[in-house]
């Protein structure tokens, strides 16, 4: 069935008021890969930052990374920045117009659009996945925005999604891209989590840039799978068009104005990771395999408690709806997602951001649950989890899952 024939709920316009709540606190990651630490240390004496948009070595490595994923690139089409936040800010500013994004969406997307003074709209997601808007709802939102005098120009999506930990089916990605491009929208595809898919051989992952090469800019934050979050690097691949070259130049001007330059030692380590030598690919495989066992166990605990969540397919989070537990939560003074965040953060002892940070209504009892803290509290425990054949049988993992399940089960 084509998207034009599918009946879906109407789109919801996002309030343009001030940001009330900051982004969620970062979670600890796995220990640094020794090979990357050695590369960083060898470059530690380099005191100059990279030029705006990244140096040649980093951009060539990014081209090689995308080439292995079926996207031919030229170093002149690449831009790098110290993290996804300044890079996305520069992309939004370079494109102009109103911004559309799925609901829920990563916690930083809406604040960045608002920081630039851009009208921004959340669009409902399909039942199958998060990360992309329902095609019918997208067209409805575009129609309404234009009827109100708006200028919808940019669509932000993530085919491998944070916060929902889902992978968008290729047929839905195609329908969304056709709808967006048909309405003159440029697409920014955040593919930060594509290398964290639990079962890559069984999961068909399609980048929008494969379908609409002239209308899609791809963004990857290396902290998703390749480098530690404490070494911020993100790269963007612009289309090979004259119009995209102008937008890239604008983005570089904005990064320059922000002073958003990658430190050279970090750039060397990032370039090494983007080349994906054997040690890096093995770490990616191990980390995804570990989450493939731990995340479903956490998901089962959520369902057993009577809450709802889509089955996780990638990443390090679950997005849970505790609406069915509303009565028991109300008895504990929890009536909205901000109170739910405070309650579960205290109960679990780890940051547990509420759905209001991801664009959901404050009254909806939704929360993003991190699976990273279940892997161990020390580098030794985390490495043991990473190399274990059956990590769920490790004492520290079993204990962490027990505490996680108990915190939810007491709400039944």
């Amino acid at each position: 069935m084509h998207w034009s024939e599918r009946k879906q709920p109407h789109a919801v316009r996002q309030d343009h008021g001030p940001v009330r709540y900051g982004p969620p606190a970062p979670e600890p990651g796995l220990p640094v890969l020794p090979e990357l630490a050695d590369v960083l240390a060898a470059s530690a004496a380099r005191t100059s930052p990279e030029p705006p948009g990244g140096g040649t070595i980093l951009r060539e490595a990014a081209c090689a990374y995308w080439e292995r994923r079926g996207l031919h690139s030229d170093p002149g089409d690449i831009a790098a920045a110290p993290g996804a936040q300044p890079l996305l800010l520069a992309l939004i500013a370079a494109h102009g117009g109103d911004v559309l994004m799925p609901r829920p969406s990563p916690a930083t997307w809406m604040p960045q659009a608002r920081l630039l003074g851009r009208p921004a709209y959340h669009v409902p997601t399909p039942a199958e996945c998060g990360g992309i808007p329902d095609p019918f709802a997208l067209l409805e939102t575009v129609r309404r925005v234009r009827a109100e005098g708006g200028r919808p120009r940019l669509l932000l999506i993530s085919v491998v999604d944070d916060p929902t930990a889902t992978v968008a089916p290729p047929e839905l990605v195609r329908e969304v891209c056709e709808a967006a491009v048909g309405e003159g929208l440029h697409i920014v595809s955040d593919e930060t989590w594509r290398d964290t898919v639990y079962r890559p051989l069984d999961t068909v992952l399609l980048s929008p840039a494969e379908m609409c090469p002239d209308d899609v800019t791809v963004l990857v934050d290396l902290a998703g799978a390749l480098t530690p979050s404490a070494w911020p690097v993100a790269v963007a691949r612009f289309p090979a068009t004259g119009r995209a070259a102008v937008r890239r130049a604008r983005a570089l001007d904005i990064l320059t104005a922000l002073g958003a330059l990658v430190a050279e030692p970090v750039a060397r380590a990032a370039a090494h990771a983007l080349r994906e030598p054997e040690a890096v690919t093995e770490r990616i495989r191990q980390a995804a395999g570990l989450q493939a066992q731990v995340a479903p166990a956490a998901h089962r605990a959520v369902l057993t408690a009577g809450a709802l969540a889509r089955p996780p397919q990638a990443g390090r989070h679950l997005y849970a709806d505790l609406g069915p537990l509303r009565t028991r939560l109300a008895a504990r003074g929890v009536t909205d997602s901000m109170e739910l965040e405070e309650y579960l953060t205290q109960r679990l002892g780890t940051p547990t951001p509420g759905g209001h940070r991801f664009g959901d209504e404050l009254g909806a009892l939704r929360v993003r649950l991190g699976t990273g803290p279940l892997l161990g509290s020390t580098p030794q425990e985390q490495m043991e989890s990473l190399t274990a054949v059956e990590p769920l049988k490790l004492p520290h993992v079993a204990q962490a899952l027990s505490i996680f399940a108990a915190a939810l089960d007491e709400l039944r």
Side-chain angles (χ1 to χ4, degrees), residues 211-364:
M211 295 179 296
C212 306
D214 293 342
D215 298 289
V216 177
T217 298
V218 181
L219 171 68
V220 172
D221 186 342
L222 272 63
L226 293 169
T227 61
S229 59
W231 305 355
V233 184
V235 289
R237 175 191 179 273
F238 289 78
T241 66
R243 183 171 55 180
V246 172
R247 289 170 174 165
R248 179 180 180 273
R250 290 177 186 166
L252 294 186
D253 287 343
I254 295 163
L255 293 173
T256 302
L258 293 172
L261 310 177
V262 181
E264 191 166 344
V266 174
R268 293 300 176 94
H272 186 80
L274 284 165
R275 295 283 183 186
E276 295 181 296
E278 184 178 352
V280 171
T281 56
E282 177 62 14
R283 169 59 69 88
I284 292 172
R285 186 195 65 78
Q286 286 181 323
L290 173 58
Q291 288 291 350
Q293 297 188 59
V294 174
H299 181 250
R300 288 192 294 271
V302 169
L303 299 185
T304 299
L308 305 173
R310 291 185 176 105
Q313 297 172 278
R316 301 187 285 267
H317 303 107
L318 299 171
Y319 198 64
D321 182 356
L322 275 65
L325 309 177
R326 184 176 294 274
T327 300
R328 296 295 299 271
L329 284 166
R332 290 166 168 78
V334 177
T335 60
D336 61 32
S337 64
M338 188 164 65
E339 293 170 346
L340 180 62
E341 174 184 301
E342 295 171 353
Y343 175 82
L344 285 178
T345 294
Q346 182 178 27
R347 186 68 180 82
L348 294 173
T350 187
T352 310
H356 59 282
R357 298 184 184 270
F358 307 101
D360 265 325
E361 298 295 335
L362 185 63

Side-chain angles (χ1 to χ4, degrees), residues 114-189:
R114 285 171 165 169
L115 181 63
L116 292 168
R118 298 292 172 78
Y121 301 83
H122 276 119
V123 186
T125 55
E128 295 92 329
C129 63
I132 62 172
D134 174 81
F136 183 88
L138 174 63
L139 291 176
E140 177 69 8
T141 300
V142 170
R143 183 191 67 79
R144 291 184 179 185
V145 170
R146 286 182 176 149
E148 295 170 3
R151 299 183 305 124
R153 295 283 181 82
L154 195 62
L155 173 64
L156 310 182
I157 63 174
S158 52
V159 292
V160 182
D161 184 44
D162 168 46
T164 65
T166 58
V167 178
E171 61 273 14
L172 273 175
V173 175
R174 182 175 298 278
E175 290 176 8
V176 168
C177 290
E178 289 175 351
V181 172
E183 291 296 327
L185 302 180
H186 186 80
I187 300 169
V188 173
S189 176

Side-chain angles (χ1 to χ4, degrees), residues 96-122:
D98 300 354
V99 183
L100 285 74
M101 63 189 73
R103 180 196 297 270
S105 59
T108 60
W109 286 7
M110 183 61 73
Q112 285 171 297
R114 285 171 165 169
L115 181 63
L116 292 168
R118 298 292 172 78
Y121 301 83
H122 276 119

